[in-house]
Amino acid sequence: MLRRAGPSLRHFLLQRNISAGHSSCSREAKMSRPVQARRLEGIDKNIWVEFVKLATTYSKVNLGQGFPDFPAPEFLREALMRALSGGNHMLHQYTRAFGHPPLVKVLAQFFEKLLGRELDPMTNVMVTVGAYQALFCCFQALVDEGDEVIIIEPFFDCYEPMVKMAGGTPVFVPLRPNPPKDGKLMSSADWQLDPAELASKFSERTKAIVLNSPNNPLGKVFSRGELGLIAELCVKHDVLCISDEVYEWLVYDGKQHIRIASLQGMWERTVIIGSAGKTFSATGWKVGWVVGPDRLLQHLRTVHQNSVYHCATIAQEAVAQGFQRELTLYGKPESYFVQLPKELQQKRDWLVQSLDGVGMKPIIPEGTYFLVADISPFKSDVPDVPNSDEPYDSRFAKWMVKNKGLAAIPLSAFYSEAHKNSYTNFIRFCFAKEEATLKAASDILQKWKQEKTSS
Ligand code: PMP
């Protein structure tokens, strides 16, 4: 019946459009009122869109965007296969909006261990579409018009536009490098906050501080002393802490990742953000979470239920099984959370050596799978353009991918517009890559170096 009604309905709509004066021409008529919401002003550019496109077009070796090119662990892939083809067909349907019950339950158990406090899976944990959506929920739920949010530079670039979209004002405080005097390579630990400068950014307008430890892009793992200072200021000024800990397991040289929520006075004011993408080397799954007190998470749930509402059930089920495994192997050598940082530390060391070998001085990261390197010795190949609005490192990274086929991200992409020219001699590499990829990158750099010395 419906099929027979089709043509006549089409005919009716056509007639109606014609009689209402809709021609193909008037359909293209421009609206005269502004279409863009004011909150999008100035935040339309996105570094990843531009650099991912460049990498896709030109790169032979991509050490740009942060994702592993090695497979996710077998136990996780198997868990996904089981979820997909096992007996429970309900895994193909909606699940609980704020997190698939098995996942929030195991996350609560896991974080109880890490934080040393009891957690209610239903109120202290929420699952999000990657850490990205967790961040979005935080800013939308907790930041009001006129609120200030402190962001430590360099920072994962989305913090700034997300604060602005919520009507807040980002206030930046830099990590400042103190190069070692003995000629040794710099470490991410040599980038530090100036305590007086940090304190000067807190005021009655400050609603929150964003902390990212281990930090993308530097790989800095904040020490207990540094976290203590931030915590003290948060408590003193009654400020919230949005703690982006997506690289919590990727810490090297026996360093310890300290959770700021475990410091005195911080649990009640902190939202911890995590990502299965980073934790289980499966960035495409886009499963993330927040852990925190109900008094904060209840507002994040409001944003979640009115935006995304729900994350893919099947991916949540597989991540839950991944965490179950890790819970039973906690701290043991077979644990993925023990094995992955071990493997990544070797890759880091390999890339450090190879960059140092060609004179692109690396800043040794204490955590994450990123490494920032100094491009100064290669500057003669990409001459500076005085007074250009584009920072030098950005032009360098574009030139490098187009001419050498090696993709990396300029450090200036991790600074605010006002401070994007602070450090323009650095680019960021991702070393979560197969040996062959890292070797290919090293070959490109060595060949380049040879060409330079022979010319
Ligand atoms: N925070 C930081 C610091 C990140 O580096 C990333 C990913 N690059 C995210 C959040 C987003 O994580 P996800 O892929 O889980 O959304």
Side-chain angles (χ1 to χ4, degrees), residues 15 19 41 58 71 75 98 129 137 167 171 179 228 234 236-237 253 271 280 284 295 300-301 333 360 390 394 429 443:
Q15 285 301 313
S19 59
E41 268 164 29
Y58 298 106
F75 67 83
F98 306 121
V129 179
C137 285
V171 172
C234 285
K236 181 172 168 201
H237 295 274
D253 306 319
V271 180
F280 288 114
R295 81 173 188 114
L300 273 64
R301 290 197 289 271
M360 219 183 242
E390 186 176 10
S394 174
F429 294 105
D443 289 348

Side-chain angles (χ1 to χ4, degrees), residues 48 65-67 128-135 155-159 211-217 244-247 273-279 282-289 368-370 414 428:
W48 303 109
Q65 207 184 1
F67 59 85
T128 55
V129 179
Y132 221 94
Q133 193 225 337
L135 287 162
F155 58 93
F156 182 48
D157 64 300
C158 74
Y159 302 156
L211 172 70
N212 174 214
S213 181
N215 160 278
N216 174 11
D244 181 342
E245 303 183 25
V246 297
Y247 301 104
I273 294 174
S275 163
K278 313 293 175 182
T279 301
T283 57
W285 288 24
K286 291 298 286 185
V287 175
W289 55 83
T368 75
Y369 45 48
F370 300 114
F414 302 90
R428 189 202 75 174

Side-chain angles (χ1 to χ4, degrees), residues 173-176 192-200 229:
V173 60
L175 286 165
R176 297 188 184 279
Q192 287 174 1
L193 290 165
D194 173 334
E197 192 176 16
L198 176 65
S200 75
L229 176 69

Side-chain angles (χ1 to χ4, degrees), residues 307-426:
S307 52
V308 165
Y309 189 73
H310 188 281
C311 315
T313 310
I314 218 139
Q316 292 191 63
E317 171 71 19
V319 172
Q321 292 191 26
F323 266 106
Q324 278 298 351
R325 175 192 187 269
E326 288 304 301
L327 196 59
T328 48
L329 294 177
Y330 186 70
K332 299 203 173 122
E334 311 91 281
S335 157
Y336 190 65
F337 298 168
V338 173
Q339 281 175 353
L340 180 64
K342 255 194 187 164
E343 280 168 32
L344 285 172
Q345 185 172 322
Q346 283 174 4
K347 291 179 191 294
R348 177 201 67 168
D349 292 346
W350 199 89
L351 189 60
V352 162
Q353 268 188 9
S354 114
L355 288 168
D356 196 24
V358 295
M360 219 183 242
K361 290 258 171 292
I363 299 168
I364 302 170
E366 306 153 276
T368 75
Y369 45 48
F370 300 114
L371 184 161
V372 170
D374 187 342
I375 51 179
S376 304
F378 288 75
K379 277 182 101 167
S380 56
D381 282 357
V382 191
D384 208 347
V385 179
N387 304 324
S388 160
D389 189 43
E390 186 176 10
Y392 176 75
D393 58 350
S394 174
R395 276 181 292 111
F396 183 93
K398 285 180 187 168
W399 182 93
M400 186 170 79
V401 71
K402 285 184 189 163
N403 293 278
K404 302 289 173 189
L406 178 60
I409 305 290
L411 186 64
S412 58
F414 302 90
Y415 281 85
S416 58
E417 186 60 25
H419 303 147
K420 69 180 182 187
N421 281 307
S422 301
Y423 302 99
T424 56
N425 279 346
F426 295 99

